[in-house]
């Protein structure tokens, strides 16, 4: 199992969940397959991104959705077309939007392509590109986005830039974890943290939440 990146702790945790004979030599082929499958799910969770959803044969997406634990329909070509169209002023679109508007004259061919993309966006809530990233980061990996700042009143860094940085941290992370994510010296010199939204000091064991804005007070700053 070490060849696929599984640690002894991973294997032990999986074995505790499964009902296996004490002697590995007595395991059946199906039990070995189940062990391998469960270890893979624990150590290498998957999200299926079903690209070209705008031209997928009828029923394919539904079958994929039924078979996969997490499946996101997507059209990368559609996302690229919308971004280029937005840059050219042809469509109104920001990455991650569930839909778009046609803002200028387009050719019949362009309109047909845009309408295919619109069909996917309306059915699945967007082109799927940003949704796939969000699914991996927030659903699969269960992370939160936290914004460190130097000025807790203005939410700026030392150069006056508003919310210049964002860090992805595991859910349950503390202010000290954020300090180390910013820089090891900041973490080594960590003293305390301030919740910039609430304007109050927070405890060292406070669990950070999605969208928190935090000032780290450290001997290194």
């Amino acid at each position: 199992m070490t060849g696929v990146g599984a640690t002894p702790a991973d294997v032990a945790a999986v074995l505790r969940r499964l009902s296996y004979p004490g002697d590995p030599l007595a395991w059946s082929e199906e039990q070995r397959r189940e062990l391998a499958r469960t270890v893979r799910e624990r150590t290498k969770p998957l999200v299926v991104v079903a690209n070209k959803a705008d031209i997928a044969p009828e029923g394919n997406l539904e079958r994929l959705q039924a078979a996969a634990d997490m499946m996101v329909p997507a059209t990368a070509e559609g996302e690229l077309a919308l971004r280029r169209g937005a840059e050219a002023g042809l469509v109104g679109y920001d990455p991650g939007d569930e839909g778009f508007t046609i803002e200028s004259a387009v050719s019949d061919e362009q309109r047909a392509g845009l309408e295919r993309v619109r069909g996917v966006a309306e059915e699945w809530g967007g082109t799927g590109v940003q949704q796939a990233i969000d699914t991996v980061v927030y659903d699969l990996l269960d992370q939160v986005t936290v914004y460190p700042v130097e000025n807790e009143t203005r939410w700026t860094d030392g150069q006056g830039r508003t919310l210049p940085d964002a860090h992805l941290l595991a859910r349950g992370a503390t202010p000290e974890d954020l300090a180390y994510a910013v820089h090891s010296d900041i973490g080594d010199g960590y003293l305390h943290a301030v919740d910039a939204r609430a304007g109050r000091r927070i405890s060292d064991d406070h669990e950070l939440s999605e969208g928190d804005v935090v000032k780290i007070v450290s001997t290194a700053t």
Side-chain angles (χ1 to χ4, degrees):
M1 290 294 182
T2 56
V4 295
T7 65
D10 290 323
V11 177
V14 169
L15 287 173
R16 284 194 294 270
R17 293 168 47 193
L18 303 175
S19 179
Y20 276 21
D23 182 3
L25 295 177
W27 295 353
S28 67
E29 181 64 23
E30 178 54 36
Q31 287 173 324
R32 293 190 183 95
R33 289 179 180 274
E34 183 182 20
L35 174 62
R37 182 171 56 252
T38 308
V39 168
R40 196 280 302 161
E41 290 173 351
R42 176 184 174 88
T43 60
K44 294 178 174 57
L46 300 176
V47 171
V48 175
V49 181
N51 193 26
K52 299 188 177 180
D54 52 324
I55 58 173
E58 185 175 353
N60 276 19
L61 294 178
E62 289 74 15
R63 285 192 290 272
L64 269 176
Q65 191 171 42
D69 292 332
M70 291 186 179
M71 190 276 285
V72 181
T75 168
E77 186 176 1
E79 175 74 18
L80 180 60
L82 291 179
R83 292 193 184 198
R84 287 177 173 172
E87 290 175 359
L90 299 178
V91 299
Y93 176 74
D94 287 318
D97 283 355
E98 294 186 1
F100 62 91
T101 57
I102 298 177
E103 302 288 337
S104 184
V106 295
S107 68
D108 291 343
E109 183 179 359
Q110 288 174 322
R111 183 175 295 276
L114 289 171
E115 291 305 325
R116 281 201 307 272
V117 176
R118 190 190 302 280
V120 173
E122 289 180 348
E123 182 173 1
W124 298 100
T127 66
V129 174
Q130 186 62 50
Q131 291 87 341
I133 296 171
D134 290 346
T135 297
V136 170
V137 171
Y138 298 115
D139 297 336
L140 189 65
L141 300 180
D142 197 22
Q143 300 200 327
V144 295
T145 309
V146 183
Y147 303 88
V149 295
E150 289 190 40
N151 187 314
E152 69 271 30
T153 303
R154 298 180 180 274
W155 295 11
T156 58
D157 64 4
Q159 286 73 51
R161 297 174 298 179
T162 302
L163 297 178
D165 298 308
H167 287 269
L168 291 172
L169 302 173
R171 187 173 300 280
T174 65
E176 188 172 2
D177 294 325
L178 174 61
Y180 275 107
V182 173
H183 195 282
S184 58
D185 290 345
I186 303 294
D188 289 342
Y190 172 81
L191 296 174
H192 66 268
V194 176
D195 181 340
R197 292 183 182 275
R200 60 179 177 81
R201 181 169 167 172
I202 51 181
S203 64
D204 293 344
D205 60 356
H206 174 81
E207 291 190 6
L208 300 173
S209 300
E210 173 65 25
D212 277 354
V213 182
V214 178
K215 172 183 172 65
I216 299 295
V217 179
S218 169
T219 58
T221 56

